[in-house]
Amino acid sequence: MIQKPGKGPTVTKPWALPAFHSLAENIPKGALSLSGQRLILPAAKRALPAPPGVSRAAAFPEFPRQHKEPAVGEISSRLDPENTNIITFPKPKEAIYGTHSSGKGNIAPLPSSNSVVSTRKSKPEWRSPAQQLESEVHIPSQTQPSQTAQPFQDPCLDWDIAVHQKAPGFLVLQHHHHSSWGSTVGILEPTEKLLKDHTIPSATLNSQKSAQITSELDFKEKPTKSAVLSVIKNQPAVEKLLKRAGQSCRGRGGSAGAAAHTQRQQQWAAAVICSSWHSWSHLARLRNALREARHRHLENFYSRAKHLAANWNRIRTSRRTIIHIPSLGYSQHVREHIPDLAVQQNLQMGRLCDILDANVDVIYICPLALSEELLQYYNKLLGLQAAVRSGNPEDMADLQDRFKILTPEAINSFPEHHMCLATLLRYSPRTMQRLQALLQGRDAYMIGGVPHLDDLAVADELQVPLLGSEPAVAQLYSTKSGSKRIFASAGVPTPPGEWDIHSREQLLRALSQLVLDNLGVQRWLFKVDGERGGDGTAFCDVISHLECYPWIQREWQGHGPEVCRARELALVKISQELPGLLAQHVQPVNEKRFPTWEKFLQTFLTQGGVIEAFPFSASVTNLTVDLLIEPTGEVTLVASGDQLHAEGPLRSSGTTIPQRSVDPEVLQVLCLKIGEACKSKGVLGYFSVDFVAFTHPQTREQQVWATDLDLCYSDQLALTQLLLYMTDGNLDCGSSPLQGPLGPKESKSQRVQHEGTKPPAPSSPRCAVASSQLRHSSLSGISYNLLLHTCQTRGVGFDLQEKQGTVFVLYEDQKRHSLGMVTIGEDLQGVLLTFARNLFIIHQEISAPNMQGETNFKALPAVDSIKLNNLYSWNLLQMAIRDIEAILGVTAENKLRWEEEQPWEAAALKE
């Protein structure tokens, strides 16, 4: 990359191959070029035939010889004195094969013509293409001349010997067409050349047609191939031979021509190689330089990681700068299928809230160019820090010196390349220079997103450590199969399943065995290794569609599952049904990308994937826990939440913070085991684990399975940072509650009147419903200022004194079809109602009655559990209520069990 002072980056010119030598230099010049212009008469170049008995050298390859032809000396005897239009000349192979010269120069006599007849009668002969043409055009046989005079016919000339002025056929033709001879002779040379070049031994010439053609040509004009063919009477047979592959190399001098052509090709190839050698060697040097740079980046990554570990306890408590790069460094084929990649990389604006720590400054790398309107919004939002703590809106402060939002200038340079943010930053020299200036003399480290090799390159150029995993480690263990290996190493419960599946046979065999071993599992999931979210997931209710299932049940009841013969037969029956069953009943989560099972299966087998059981329970909750492996190796839980599934059971649309579906102590034990397993594999920094919790239908005990692992900073963690910023709260994932200080009105009666003494502010539990995936196409029709003003007039906002309400996360102001929202309150049911009401108000304000836009929170028919305005409820709310009811049910059950096991502590807590 070359950059001129004061200007943006310029792309260097692509490599250009040096100019080749003109191939025209290899074309011989002289008489040929002149005759091509018809400045030299054809007859003037005719060579006299070789004397009898002297062989002429020819470059034509030797064919297997089946018979001998008459010698040149027999030409005169083969001329029909009466039918003089039939003229033949000896073939070149007569001179080659018919004579033999010894080392002393002696010439052996040619065989007599009698041997030709005897040879042809003895066995079938191999015939060259020229000989095949002879039979196809029916060349008249050389018989004894008839005594009856025959009318003149156009002669059939043999072109293997150059036509010259003394040849008998030439003289006969000249004598008969003396009046038009000037025109006739003009077509002989190109006709002769065409037939010679393609080893066509003879052809019947239409002299009248030739005179007509040549009379129509300009003096300098060369006859075309079609014009030449038109003067030949046996044109179809000649054209048939012309079309044969390689025929042009069989004529007189054909081998020499082929050799010359081959030589020209070799010369051209040599020219290409020589002229391209500089570019190729330059490319090789670039490849080696890139490999060395990657190796250097990796070495420096580990070196700086050691330095960060050695100084972590000091750095984490002192003044420092955190560079946040929310880059999605997935593989290229995954990034290509992420709609609005830039927006998806900007869902974590909550990272800015790290300035909650007074010692932290934040530099946020944004993948979009934010308008002044958006920048002012975040200036005001982050300026609420002091006002949140005091509860007084007048205490807002200007914190622009505590955070910076930088956008790489390369975001518009590669619009079709689907580059991740780290790559765009690497190729943005102005932004890199500004970063280096901002980091001068400061302790700093970098936190990325999904690790990519360019994260290492950026960290190396900035000379700062990266708090994250090596990209190769992250790519290996972030896959579905990789996460299963981590969970197996940690020894935590996981769903029944199989991983590292790469063939159709392996898939059918594994699924058949799993179905037979887990007959209580109704639904089976198929997850593509490298895909994100639910895009690469499909599911199928196998048992519901398995025709042999009743038979298996009867066999199991009669003989038990241990009978080997019954198991083998059951496996055969299941495996026979599965192909058709899957093709008909599998449902991909992303139906737009995978409309059929075959489309999904192709991706599944190409990337690899896993088969996984869906919990066999009516009450199922999904939750996500965010963890941090610090540079010192300590594993801590930093966030947790229960997932909401408004767009289907396998795609998370939001989260309720903190999680309430699993006993925090049980969850902490599982997470620490997974954290230790990750640490042993070289994982560093932030990562998240997905769990599924359900009540076993037989034992009625809660079971928790680890299902997925993402080695990156999550959207949930960014929303949690915003939640903590707006409540000035504290989240202890070990005990699960989120505690926020009470507002001034609530704590006034509890204030201590003595000056100089101030007890800790009383707190109350807080919870939130948060989503970063709210979409509505009609949002583009209203500005953010107008939207926020409308929401404020309708009561949608945040109360600084109560530390409750709604905060929006705005991503971009070009398309403006998505946003994030966090609703905070004291109890989950109330927060859920407020969240749903907010969606209803927004939809009502921005949508026309006949709105046909796309949204994931549009109005639906009312449900009985919660109604809004007696007319509408929401898709998001409807699905969320089911999730919340399950969460609350599990929470109540856990609480009841705890009270039974710990009666004294429960009683003391109630008192």
Side-chain angles (χ1 to χ4, degrees):
M1 184 71 68
I2 301 174
Q3 182 180 2
K4 296 181 180 181
K7 297 185 179 181
T10 60
V11 181
T12 56
K13 295 178 62 177
W15 298 319
L17 296 177
F20 300 143
H21 296 291
S22 175
L23 296 180
E25 297 176 1
N26 296 325
I27 300 177
K29 297 184 174 72
L32 180 59
S33 60
L34 294 178
S35 64
Q37 299 179 8
R38 300 178 65 196
L39 298 179
I40 298 178
L41 293 179
K45 303 194 295 110
R46 302 303 181 191
L48 293 177
V54 180
S55 62
R56 294 184 301 135
F60 188 73
E62 180 176 351
F63 290 107
R65 216 171 14 161
Q66 302 295 337
H67 62 277
K68 308 284 184 180
E69 299 263 348
V72 178
E74 301 178 38
I75 294 177
S76 59
S77 65
R78 294 178 59 182
L79 175 63
D80 188 342
E82 186 168 348
N83 193 3
T84 56
N85 61 326
I86 307 301
I87 305 173
T88 59
F89 291 91
K91 309 292 186 291
K93 61 182 179 182
E94 293 176 359
I96 298 173
Y97 298 146
T99 62
H100 175 73
S101 60
S102 66
K104 296 180 180 181
N106 296 331
I107 301 175
L110 297 175
S112 63
S113 61
N114 295 333
S115 62
V116 176
V117 177
S118 61
T119 304
R120 289 177 179 174
K121 290 182 179 180
S122 61
K123 60 180 180 179
E125 63 171 330
W126 175 90
R127 298 192 300 170
S128 68
Q131 292 169 327
Q132 295 179 34
L133 181 63
E134 287 181 8
S135 62
E136 292 174 3
V137 298
H138 305 293
I139 297 177
S141 60
Q142 276 65 36
T143 59
Q144 292 296 324
S146 170
Q147 299 298 324
T148 306
Q150 301 291 335
F152 179 82
Q153 299 179 2
D154 284 317
C156 178
L157 300 178
D158 191 326
W159 303 100
D160 282 329
I161 295 297
V163 178
H164 55 90
Q165 295 180 8
K166 299 299 182 181
F170 188 87
L171 295 174
V172 171
L173 187 66
Q174 183 180 16
H175 173 73
H176 192 275
H177 294 283
H178 63 89
S179 60
S180 59
W181 182 245
S183 300
T184 304
V185 75
I187 201 70
L188 290 180
E189 183 188 16
T191 306
E192 175 192 3
K193 183 177 185 304
L194 174 67
L195 300 179
K196 278 182 181 180
D197 290 344
H198 294 81
T199 324
I200 300 176
S202 56
T204 304
L205 183 69
N206 187 332
S207 57
Q208 299 296 335
K209 182 69 174 178
S210 66
Q212 177 185 352
I213 292 295
T214 53
S215 65
E216 296 174 354
L217 295 175
D218 183 76
F219 179 72
K220 294 184 179 182
E221 187 177 354
K222 186 177 180 180
T224 63
K225 182 179 179 181
S226 59
V228 171
L229 290 174
S230 67
V231 305
I232 299 176
K233 286 187 174 181
N234 52 333
Q235 180 179 350
V238 173
E239 286 182 334
K240 182 177 180 181
L241 189 58
L242 289 177
K243 294 178 181 178
R244 296 188 178 183
Q247 191 68 22
S248 61
C249 295
R250 296 182 182 273
R252 190 180 67 170
S255 287
H261 177 68
T262 303
Q263 183 179 10
R264 287 193 298 270
Q265 286 184 322
Q266 292 173 347
Q267 291 173 349
W268 175 82
V272 171
I273 293 173
C274 292
S275 59
S276 302
W277 177 253
H278 175 71
S279 297
W280 290 352
S281 61
H282 182 58
L283 180 61
R285 288 195 298 271
L286 285 178
R287 186 182 295 110
N288 292 334
L290 179 61
R291 186 182 300 111
E292 293 174 359
R294 296 295 193 197
H295 183 68
R296 183 177 66 255
H297 297 160
L298 188 60
E299 286 185 339
N300 292 339
F301 163 76
Y302 282 114
S303 175
R304 294 192 177 101
K306 291 180 180 178
H307 174 79
L308 185 64
N311 297 274
W312 180 247
N313 291 329
R314 176 187 61 82
I315 292 174
R316 65 184 301 185
T317 58
S318 60
R319 190 74 179 177
R320 62 195 183 278
T321 299
I322 303 177
I323 309 162
H324 280 286
I325 308 178
S327 174
L328 297 180
Y330 295 107
S331 59
Q332 178 69 23
H333 71 270
V334 173
R335 295 199 305 270
E336 289 175 351
H337 289 97
I338 299 178
D340 295 320
L341 177 61
V343 175
Q344 292 298 312
Q345 292 184 120
N346 203 36
L347 300 183
Q348 299 181 359
M349 295 292 288
R351 295 190 187 210
L352 290 166
C353 296
D354 276 353
I355 64 172
L356 180 63
D357 186 336
N359 289 321
V360 172
D361 294 338
V362 170
I363 300 176
Y364 179 85
I365 306 300
C366 183
L368 295 161
L370 301 185
S371 66
E372 188 64 28
E373 180 184 3
L374 272 185
L375 292 175
Q376 287 299 323
Y377 173 78
Y378 283 106
N379 287 339
K380 293 180 179 179
L381 181 67
L382 296 175
L384 292 174
Q385 185 182 49
V388 166
R389 290 175 175 171
S390 67
N392 186 1
E394 297 180 358
D395 291 339
M396 286 185 60
D398 186 359
L399 299 181
Q400 294 188 52
D401 60 334
R402 297 277 313 281
F403 71 93
K404 294 289 186 293
I405 299 176
L406 304 182
T407 300
E409 67 267 22
I411 59 171
N412 297 319
S413 301
F414 309 96
E416 304 298 329
H417 289 73
H418 304 279
M419 290 183 175
C420 66
L421 182 57
T423 303
L424 294 175
L425 177 60
R426 183 185 181 187
Y427 296 113
S428 300
R430 290 203 303 269
T431 307
M432 291 295 292
Q433 290 174 4
R434 187 177 180 191
L435 275 171
Q436 290 171 339
L438 291 172
L439 297 175
Q440 286 292 333
R442 293 171 175 258
D443 281 333
Y445 57 89
M446 198 172 91
I447 299 177
V450 177
H452 188 273
L453 287 173
D454 285 330
D455 287 275
L456 304 186
V458 170
D460 195 45
E461 187 170 347
L462 296 177
Q463 298 183 5
V464 296
L466 172 63
L467 183 58
S469 303
E470 178 191 345
V473 173
Q475 292 171 8
L476 176 62
Y477 294 111
S478 278
T479 65
K480 308 302 181 184
S481 296
S483 65
K484 300 300 181 185
R485 288 192 285 271
I486 290 286
F487 297 151
S489 176
V492 298
T494 57
E498 196 70 40
W499 59 86
D500 286 326
I501 295 176
H502 292 273
S503 70
R504 189 185 299 262
E505 294 75 15
Q506 185 185 6
L507 171 69
L508 295 176
R509 183 173 61 253
L511 183 57
S512 300
Q513 190 68 55
L514 288 169
V515 169
L516 189 60
D517 293 340
N518 303 274
L519 292 175
V521 175
Q522 294 287 329
R523 175 171 294 181
W524 291 92
L525 309 180
F526 308 91
K527 298 180 178 181
V528 179
D529 264 343
E531 297 295 329
R532 62 187 292 269
D535 287 344
T537 302
F539 63 93
C540 182
D541 296 330
V542 176
I543 295 297
S544 302
H545 306 288
L546 197 62
E547 295 181 358
C548 65
Y549 181 65
W551 174 85
I552 295 175
Q553 281 186 315
R554 291 194 300 269
E555 288 294 319
W556 262 227
Q557 291 174 359
H559 303 91
E562 294 80 11
V563 179
C564 296
R565 185 171 300 177
R567 284 185 61 84
E568 293 175 0
L569 184 56
L571 280 174
V572 171
K573 288 180 175 291
I574 294 173
S575 61
Q576 290 175 346
E577 286 190 45
L578 280 180
L581 185 153
L582 296 175
Q584 187 175 359
H585 298 290
V586 166
Q587 300 180 47
V589 172
N590 189 341
E591 294 183 352
K592 290 184 178 180
R593 181 177 174 189
F594 304 111
T596 64
W597 163 245
E598 284 300 323
K599 288 284 187 181
F600 178 86
L601 184 61
Q602 181 180 2
T603 303
F604 183 91
L605 298 181
T606 300
Q607 299 186 29
V610 304
I611 305 174
E612 182 181 289
F614 190 79
F616 37 91
S617 174
S619 177
V620 179
T621 60
N622 297 85
L623 60 147
T624 301
V625 180
D626 290 284
L627 298 95
L628 169 64
I629 299 179
E630 299 184 15
T632 55
E634 183 180 354
V635 181
T636 57
L637 281 64
V638 293
S640 68
D642 291 306
Q643 297 177 12
L644 302 178
H645 298 92
E647 299 180 72
L650 299 174
R651 174 173 286 177
S652 176
S653 303
T655 182
T656 63
I657 304 172
Q659 71 83 24
R660 298 189 178 188
S661 57
V662 177
D663 183 347
E665 294 182 359
V666 173
L667 193 61
Q668 186 174 28
V669 170
L670 296 176
C671 289
L672 292 179
K673 287 183 178 180
I674 295 172
E676 291 297 328
C678 288
K679 185 171 66 174
S680 68
K681 304 296 183 182
V683 176
L684 179 66
Y686 293 95
F687 67 98
S688 60
V689 184
D690 290 344
F691 296 91
V692 60
F694 63 98
T695 302
H696 196 284
Q698 279 80 37
T699 63
R700 305 303 302 172
E701 294 289 333
Q702 186 186 59
Q703 293 194 2
V704 182
W705 290 343
T707 56
D708 282 309
L709 177 70
D710 289 312
L711 301 181
C712 62
Y713 197 107
S714 74
D715 294 350
Q716 175 181 269
L717 180 55
L719 293 172
T720 301
Q721 293 296 93
L722 178 59
L723 168 62
L724 296 176
Y725 193 89
M726 298 306 298
T727 60
D728 195 26
N730 177 56
L731 177 64
D732 184 356
C733 293
S735 59
S736 192
L738 169 64
Q739 298 291 334
L742 296 174
K745 292 182 180 179
E746 298 172 276
S747 59
K748 185 175 181 180
S749 61
Q750 303 179 20
R751 292 179 183 175
V752 177
Q753 301 297 326
H754 304 287
E755 294 185 3
T757 62
K758 186 177 181 180
S763 61
S764 64
R766 289 288 189 269
C767 62
V769 177
S771 176
S772 61
Q773 301 285 346
L774 300 178
R775 300 186 304 276
H776 202 304
S777 57
S778 296
L779 283 169
S780 59
I782 184 173
S783 68
Y784 282 138
N785 279 335
L786 183 56
L787 174 65
L788 296 174
H789 177 73
T790 302
C791 288
Q792 186 177 8
T793 59
R794 296 291 299 271
V796 180
F798 189 79
D799 189 324
L800 290 174
Q801 293 182 341
E802 300 289 339
K803 296 182 177 53
Q804 299 183 63
T806 298
V807 180
F808 292 102
V809 185
L810 308 179
Y811 304 134
E812 49 87 29
D813 54 359
Q814 297 298 319
K815 297 180 180 179
R816 295 197 309 276
H817 53 60
S818 60
L819 52 79
M821 186 168 70
V822 180
T823 301
I824 306 168
E826 294 183 358
D827 63 275
L828 196 55
Q829 294 92 330
V831 172
L832 178 63
L833 281 172
T834 303
F835 190 87
R837 177 180 175 273
N838 295 343
L839 294 180
F840 176 75
I841 291 174
I842 295 172
H843 174 73
Q844 198 174 42
E845 292 293 335
I846 68 176
S847 302
N850 58 347
M851 194 276 294
Q852 299 297 323
E854 295 183 359
T855 177
N856 63 349
F857 57 99
K858 63 183 179 180
L860 291 175
V863 293
D864 294 335
S865 53
I866 297 179
K867 296 182 180 179
L868 297 176
N869 291 1
N870 297 321
L871 294 175
Y872 297 99
S873 72
W874 304 95
N875 182 21
L876 185 63
L877 175 63
Q878 183 178 355
M879 298 299 295
I881 287 172
R882 298 174 186 173
D883 290 334
I884 296 304
E885 288 175 346
I887 293 168
L888 294 177
V890 173
T891 302
E893 187 175 348
N894 291 340
K895 181 179 178 181
L896 182 61
R897 184 182 299 110
W898 179 73
E899 291 178 351
E900 293 175 352
E901 295 175 355
Q902 309 281 345
W904 298 104
E905 294 183 11
L909 184 61
K910 290 179 181 180
E911 295 177 358

